[in-house]
Amino acid sequence: MTENGSPYRISRRLDIARLVLFAAFLCVMFYLVAVARVIDIDAVRELIESTGPVAPLVYVVASAALGAIFVPGTILAAGSGLLFGPLVGTFVTLGATVGTAIIASVLGRRAGRESARRLIGARRAEQIDTQIERRGLWAVVGQRFVPGISDALASYVFGAFGIPVWQMAVGAFIGSAPRAFVYTALGASIGDLSAPLAYTAIAVWCVTAILGAVALHRGYRGWRRRGEHRDAVSDAGSQRDPAA
């Protein structure tokens, strides 16, 4: 068998194809649901409202599933506030957010983790596992504070890199609490956006966005410092190595 047809190369190509197909599937779902809006959210909301006393639980399950297929969380949270008010609605939104994180991370783990680990190599995979063990939970929390990033997409990626389900659930609960309140409160105030509740929600959103931007900047600077340190250590080792 030629080198190009070796089992290693064939396996590598299959891993790449699997990840590309998974990414393409997520992109198509994101377009259909978040951009083309093929799902009628108003109809879903009316159907859930008709279930009566169990509507909050039904909404948690339905929103968790819809969030995992990229229905925007802002719309789901606002619907929760509109249906259940700011207090109950916030807990409903949090429950749905945690559910989406669990669903997406499990699917991401099953669809892409082994392929991703084989592609990046055993050494880097072990380094990632170490980082996950130390900072996985706070990585999830931090991502939730950064505006403009799809929580569902991030959960798929976290799952593919092997972050445990419990870290996804706890991290999503902690990190999503401020935004859950914001969007749910705005949904509950949709008839009167000049109400104190709406102003409070906007203030919380601003504070959360600022904290997210600061955390992202600090994380990037820390990543650069670690990279520069590794390069310095590598260069020092090469200078000491007579064979270098």
Side-chain angles (χ1 to χ4, degrees):
M1 182 177 291
T2 63
E3 184 180 357
N4 289 337
S6 66
Y8 171 76
R9 288 182 177 272
I10 293 174
S11 175
R12 186 176 180 84
R13 289 170 182 169
L14 289 175
D15 289 334
I16 293 174
R18 184 178 181 182
L19 291 176
V20 168
L21 286 174
F22 182 55
F25 170 76
L26 294 180
C27 289
V28 170
M29 290 299 300
F30 181 84
Y31 172 78
L32 291 175
V33 178
V35 179
R37 303 290 175 87
V38 296
I39 296 178
D40 189 343
I41 300 300
D42 291 332
V44 174
R45 190 181 300 126
E46 291 174 2
L47 179 62
I48 292 172
E49 192 174 12
S50 67
T51 60
V54 297
L57 295 178
V58 175
Y59 200 86
V60 167
V61 175
S63 292
L66 291 172
I69 58 172
F70 298 108
V71 173
T74 53
I75 295 177
L76 296 172
S80 176
L82 187 62
L83 287 175
F84 310 115
L87 181 59
V88 175
T90 297
F91 286 101
V92 169
T93 298
L94 274 175
T97 300
V98 171
T100 294
I102 292 173
I103 293 171
S105 65
V106 169
L107 292 177
R109 174 185 287 263
R110 294 193 175 185
R113 184 169 188 254
E114 294 305 318
S115 294
R117 290 176 69 86
R118 283 194 292 267
L119 286 175
I120 64 178
R123 181 170 174 272
R124 289 184 179 177
E126 290 178 1
Q127 291 176 346
I128 290 174
D129 287 342
T130 301
Q131 292 300 315
I132 288 173
E133 184 177 349
R134 293 177 179 175
R135 304 183 178 91
L137 173 63
W138 300 113
V140 178
V141 173
Q143 177 270 313
R144 300 287 165 147
F145 276 83
V146 179
I149 299 177
S150 168
D151 292 340
L153 183 59
S155 296
Y156 280 111
V157 174
F158 283 141
F161 278 97
I163 288 187
V165 173
W166 76 267
Q167 289 188 0
M168 288 300 307
V170 176
F173 183 87
I174 297 173
S176 298
R179 280 194 296 169
F181 166 75
V182 168
Y183 297 130
T184 304
L186 288 175
S189 305
I190 200 166
D192 183 11
L193 292 178
S194 63
L197 180 62
Y199 285 125
T200 302
I202 293 171
V204 171
W205 184 89
C206 291
V207 171
T208 302
I210 293 171
L211 290 175
V214 171
L216 181 63
H217 179 66
R218 292 186 63 182
Y220 174 72
R221 289 182 60 186
W223 174 76
R224 285 195 60 182
R225 284 197 298 268
R226 287 193 294 271
E228 292 170 356
H229 177 70
R230 285 195 299 268
D231 291 341
V233 171
S234 178
D235 291 342
S238 298
Q239 293 173 0
R240 288 195 299 267
D241 188 354

